[in-house]
Amino acid sequence: MATTLAKADGAETVEHAARIEHVSKSFAGPAGQQLVLDDITLDVAPGEFVTLLGASGCGKSTLLNLVAGLDDPSSGSITTDGRPALMFQEHALFPWLTAGKNIELALKLGGVPKSDRRERAERLLELVRLKGSYGKRVHELSGGMRQRVALARALAQDARLLLMDEPFAALDAITRDVLHDELTRIWKETGVSVLFVTHNVREAVRLAQRVILLSSRPGRVAREWTVGIPQPRRIEDAPVAELSLEITEVLRGEIRRHGQH
Ligand SMILES: Nc1ncnc2c1ncn2[C@@H]1O[C@H](COP(=O)(O)OP(=O)(O)OP(=O)(O)O)[C@@H](O)[C@H]1O
Ligand SMILES: [Mg+2]
């Protein structure tokens, strides 16, 4: 839960990892302005794991980019607790650098002194269970290993909020499953807040404390679910499957309502 702090002047400020208030976003299109996000309001509490779920094209990445500060909302406001770290479906690692040097670059940009970088990078690689891969080049790593390095690099930024845009979508089911376990462990170990975008209902339920369903055209918050299933969860656990079915039904309704296939 978010902590409410009473200020001396009586006004209240609420501490959040992210606070999205009445955010709308339009893009200029051939037929004029296209409303992509419509009046989105949601908070991510410190240490909370929230998944943002919705059909393709509903505006999930647009919203994440706004939270990351890569673009500005057309209206409404977004505040975050410090600058968030980002992780995408494509690892976006520099291929000419080793795994370790990719992480060290993020540390350098974060102002970590040169003398500390190597040790910090080694520790981060250990955290994502890639001990011994410091000197490996990107092409020597499997897809799952690359996403582990990308996660380590995101964590190197020491952000209090981690924004993840379908980071495991390109991986096979078994590798994805392993990375779900790793992410849950790392989230617990570090206490980082996570806003995780996916169109995979089971993945959303497997990972999150709260699932927020976005409708399409324009994207609005359609429903949200608090997921009380204890961790560790498995994607095939009965409660995960049951809640996923319920959410899928609502998602199907949303997609039918908007005439998408
Ligand atoms: N820079 C842009 N200029 C114009 N239109 C854009 C821009 N970025 C996104 N859009 C439009 O906004 C809508 C939402 O796109 P977005 O990428 O946010 O969807 P998404 O939910 O992330 O989809 P997916 O699940 O396929 O990744 C789409 O119709 C897209 O064409
Ligand atoms: Mg997207």
Side-chain angles (χ1 to χ4, degrees), residues 59-79:
K60 304 182 294 297
S61 296
T62 301
L63 184 57
L64 218 65
N65 289 344
L66 295 177
V67 179
L70 299 175
D71 198 357
D72 295 321
S74 306
S75 61
S77 71
I78 297 178
T79 49

Side-chain angles (χ1 to χ4, degrees), residues 1-3 14-21 40-52 63-64 67 78-81 84 160-164 187 191-197 208-212 224:
M1 289 299 291
T3 335
V14 182
E15 200 188 284
H16 293 98
R19 165 156 264 199
I20 301 165
E21 288 180 291
I40 306 273
T41 293
L42 70 97
D43 287 340
V44 180
E48 193 180 20
F49 198 126
V50 175
T51 53
L52 207 54
L63 184 57
L64 218 65
V67 179
I78 297 178
T79 49
T80 56
D81 183 9
R160 284 182 287 280
L161 175 63
L162 185 55
L163 303 173
M164 308 182 85
W187 163 62
V192 71
S193 318
V194 183
L195 185 56
F196 186 106
V197 158
Q209 293 177 301
R210 200 149 56 91
V211 176
I212 294 174
E224 79 169 65

Side-chain angles (χ1 to χ4, degrees), residues 113-146:
K114 194 169 197 302
S115 53
D116 295 350
R117 284 179 215 150
R118 170 88 194 216
E119 197 199 326
R120 288 270 296 269
E122 300 267 20
R123 259 193 285 135
L124 283 160
L125 282 169
E126 215 174 310
L127 182 65
V128 298
R129 298 204 207 271
L130 277 184
K131 199 170 178 224
S133 296
Y134 180 93
K136 292 230 166 74
R137 286 190 188 274
V138 174
H139 71 263
E140 295 178 86
L141 304 171
S142 68
M145 290 163 88
R146 287 175 195 179

Side-chain angles (χ1 to χ4, degrees), residues 12 81 84 188 201 214 236:
E12 283 193 339
D81 183 9
K188 283 193 177 154
V201 182
L214 284 190
E236 62 278 2

Side-chain angles (χ1 to χ4, degrees), residues 220-241:
R220 295 192 180 115
V221 175
R223 278 271 292 273
E224 79 169 65
W225 288 262
T226 299
V227 187
I229 306 163
Q231 294 275 17
R233 299 171 195 155
R234 303 237 63 87
I235 211 147
E236 62 278 2
D237 284 347
V240 172

